[in-house]
Amino acid sequence: MNIRLTTPADVDAVMQIYDNARLYMRKTGNATQWASGYPFRETVEEDIAFSRGYVCEEDGHIYAVFMLLTGEEPTYQVIDGAWLNDAPYLTLHRVASTGEKPRMVDEIVRWALQRSQNLRGDTHADNLPMQRAFERNGFIRCGTVWMADGSPRIAYHHPPCTLPKMVVVAGTNASGKSALGVELAKRWNGEIISADSRQVFRRLDLGSGKITPEEMQGVPHHLLDVVNPGDFYSMADFQKQAYEAAEDILSRGKVPFLVGGTGLYVASVADGYQLSGKMPDLEYRAHLETFSTEKLYQMLLDIMPETDVEPKNRNRVMRILEKIHDGDDVIPTKSPRYQTLKLGVTWPREILAQRIDQRMTRRFREGMMEEVSALLKEGVSEEFMLKLGLEYKLITQYLTGVIPSEEELNRLLAIAIKQFAKRQMTWFRRDKDIHWLQMDKDPIAEACSLIEAFLA
């Protein structure tokens, strides 16, 4: 979903949304709101002239509209007990949607929160969807405002966040997120916490796409090379060490940048997953390993018929079954430790596919096959290598004769990595707080604009 300023070409579509919203509110008992026909066409044109009207658009279709006022009052007649601080503020005003997409108001509120640490708004007492959207996103009721027509509204205020700040850069394999993270960290006095489930292992370099010392350009990186291949390392281990790294970075007056493509690792820190820290039941895990992926998924469906996990994602299916077995919450509760700006990197599909192929060719030339062979010769178990997936799994299968030829290896790798990148994007797209940077345009300028506002 793209949120942008309204243009003159949008006026008819915007007026249609307001007309439909007026009819909807009249039918649902909110007959006073915009009853006079406001907002008028002239009002929307004024918004355009003053660059304060916005539309939410996807594939050329407008789904919602709103106004964001900077340091000025909407048409309030009396303000009773609301907004009693003098800090700079933005006011979210006149929000309406087509109703075609759920949670559009939440998307608008989250977008506005990225632009102001002191956001406010108001809504009619019977406008429950707007109230719930405000409250879901951390707003508090702080008084009443009376409109020019004499109607009262509930005033909402988002208190300034006191959590320390962290910038997240997430994306797929071969998307350029590591290089972008370095460039942004250099500009904003930052250090990088790597969020990659394979790069935590020593000597897993080329196969995991680990950034090199030269590519770091002097920017400190944390959580690379922290355990030996074959050692047990969990998401809880990662979260604990990432928290420690972030606190160390913040204590030195620098900005932590969480950069990576392992969705659960990113979410565990950025969203503050409350993890139990229980050790896994290794006997139960070994028992699950005896079943096919299809059988494991069916076992999960029997327990959780509404699960949305990918049926072929064996590791994810097993982890959920283990959580259920151990009595943990499948969907962890959240208690964020940081205020985060989440940036995602994205390419047109055909360009990303080319980047994946080019990177694969380069890594073979640099010795990825030899890296896997050396690990196996040093005693790293075949079982561990297979569980790493992707390059490590398939190259191990080639070296042990399961894959018969190098041509077949290359074919399988090209398919597997592109499918994995697709699954990564599916995971990250679920997070509506991520601002997506178009990497074939000017991502650095866009990211810097967002970071500047976020860190202000």
Side-chain angles (χ1 to χ4, degrees):
M1 183 64 63
N2 177 44
I3 296 180
R4 60 170 175 80
L5 284 167
T6 310
T7 70
D10 302 320
V11 174
D12 288 340
V14 169
M15 291 308 302
Q16 186 63 59
I17 291 175
Y18 282 129
D19 289 342
N20 291 342
R22 191 178 300 112
L23 291 172
Y24 171 79
M25 287 184 287
R26 191 177 302 158
K27 290 177 182 177
T28 55
N30 191 359
T32 61
Q33 188 165 354
W34 302 340
S36 65
Y38 171 88
F40 308 109
R41 191 178 188 91
E42 294 79 8
T43 311
V44 174
E45 290 170 347
E46 185 179 277
D47 291 344
I48 295 170
F50 286 96
S51 298
R52 62 191 184 192
Y54 291 85
V55 297
C56 305
E57 177 187 67
E58 188 171 82
D59 297 329
H61 182 68
I62 295 174
Y63 288 94
V65 298
F66 65 98
M67 184 172 69
L68 195 62
L69 290 174
T70 305
E72 56 181 301
E73 305 292 352
T75 53
Y76 302 135
Q77 189 177 54
V78 178
I79 300 176
D80 180 15
W83 309 323
L84 298 180
N85 69 73
D86 295 323
Y89 60 83
L90 294 181
T91 304
L92 193 60
H93 195 52
R94 207 196 310 131
V95 181
S97 79
T98 63
E100 297 169 85
K101 280 187 176 288
R103 294 287 177 93
M104 277 303 309
V105 177
D106 289 78
E107 188 149 337
I108 290 167
V109 168
R110 287 192 291 261
W111 179 89
L113 279 170
Q114 289 187 349
R115 282 148 182 81
S116 174
Q117 296 308 302
N118 191 20
L119 187 65
R120 10 183 270 186
D122 60 80
T123 183
H124 278 275
D126 53 2
N127 190 347
L128 295 180
M130 193 73 200
Q131 292 175 42
R132 288 168 181 156
F134 277 140
E135 290 164 6
R136 274 195 299 266
N137 288 281
F139 284 71
I140 58 173
R141 298 188 183 202
C142 57
T144 304
V145 293
W146 300 82
M147 309 305 290
D149 63 3
S151 61
R153 295 197 188 190
I154 302 168
Y156 279 93
H157 176 225
H158 196 283
C161 184
T162 58
L163 294 175
K165 295 180 179 181
M166 170 184 285
V167 178
V168 177
V169 181
T172 69
N173 285 344
S175 62
K177 60 185 177 294
S178 297
L180 179 63
V182 167
E183 184 61 35
L184 296 176
K186 283 168 56 182
R187 295 185 183 213
W188 297 98
N189 191 30
E191 297 186 9
I192 289 174
I193 301 169
S194 172
D196 188 291
S197 62
R198 301 190 301 173
Q199 293 182 9
V200 297
F201 292 102
R202 302 182 183 97
R203 306 199 306 283
L204 269 62
D205 300 327
L206 291 170
S208 69
K210 194 178 295 176
I211 190 169
T212 66
E214 295 74 23
E215 291 168 338
M216 293 179 188
Q217 299 183 48
V219 175
H221 280 60
H222 303 261
L223 269 66
L224 298 173
D225 301 325
V226 295
V227 289
N228 289 322
D231 288 352
F232 176 76
Y233 193 85
S234 68
M235 181 170 68
D237 294 323
F238 171 80
Q239 185 193 56
K240 178 177 180 294
Q241 293 181 354
Y243 282 159
E244 291 171 351
E247 294 307 312
D248 174 54
I249 293 167
L250 289 162
S251 72
R252 291 182 279 107
K254 296 194 172 187
V255 180
F257 281 74
L258 183 67
V259 180
T262 301
L264 279 170
Y265 278 22
V266 171
S268 72
V269 174
D271 297 336
Y273 284 0
Q274 295 282 81
L275 303 176
S276 69
K278 292 180 182 177
M279 289 298 293
D281 184 336
L282 298 181
E283 288 187 8
Y284 182 68
R285 179 174 294 180
H287 172 67
L288 293 179
E289 289 283 11
T290 64
F291 296 102
S292 68
T293 302
E294 292 77 11
K295 176 60 177 176
L296 290 170
Y297 184 68
Q298 187 56 54
M299 291 164 63
L300 180 58
L301 284 180
D302 291 342
I303 304 169
M304 293 179 61
E306 297 181 0
T307 184
D308 62 354
V309 69
E310 165 61 42
K312 295 182 181 179
N313 189 339
R314 181 180 180 87
N315 286 339
R316 182 72 179 129
V317 171
M318 284 184 61
R319 294 298 84 80
I320 294 176
L321 286 170
E322 288 183 44
K323 281 179 172 292
I324 295 170
H325 172 77
D326 294 339
D328 285 348
D329 291 333
V330 174
I331 302 175
T333 56
K334 300 176 183 179
S335 179
R337 294 193 182 188
Y338 309 102
Q339 183 187 356
T340 57
L341 170 64
K342 297 179 181 178
L343 305 175
V345 300
T346 183
W347 292 89
R349 185 176 301 175
E350 64 279 5
I351 296 179
L352 180 61
Q354 291 172 7
R355 290 177 60 86
I356 289 172
D357 290 339
Q358 291 166 359
R359 189 175 79 155
M360 184 57 59
T361 299
R362 183 179 68 252
R363 287 156 73 190
F364 268 113
R365 186 172 62 247
E366 292 172 349
M368 183 166 60
M369 185 92 74
E370 291 77 7
E371 176 179 284
V372 177
S373 177
L375 288 165
L376 291 169
K377 288 177 181 177
E378 290 168 13
V380 178
S381 73
E382 184 179 329
E383 178 186 16
F384 173 77
M385 299 296 286
L386 294 174
K387 283 186 177 180
L388 290 171
L390 297 178
E391 298 92 339
Y392 289 110
K393 173 184 176 181
L394 293 172
I395 293 175
T396 296
Q397 289 179 328
Y398 169 72
L399 293 173
T400 56
V402 175
I403 295 175
S405 67
E406 196 165 336
E407 292 74 18
E408 179 67 1
L409 169 64
N410 289 331
R411 186 186 72 82
L412 292 174
L413 275 171
I415 294 171
I417 295 172
K418 288 163 189 169
Q419 288 178 338
F420 181 69
K422 183 178 179 180
R423 291 196 299 272
Q424 284 179 300
M425 283 302 294
T426 298
W427 169 275
F428 287 123
R429 289 287 187 191
R430 294 175 181 172
D431 188 341
K432 299 303 181 183
D433 289 335
I434 294 179
H435 182 100
W436 290 99
L437 305 172
Q438 302 296 327
M439 295 293 283
D440 57 335
K441 295 182 180 175
D442 192 356
I444 292 177
E446 186 177 5
C448 285
S449 176
L450 291 166
I451 294 171
E452 182 175 19
F454 174 68
L455 296 179

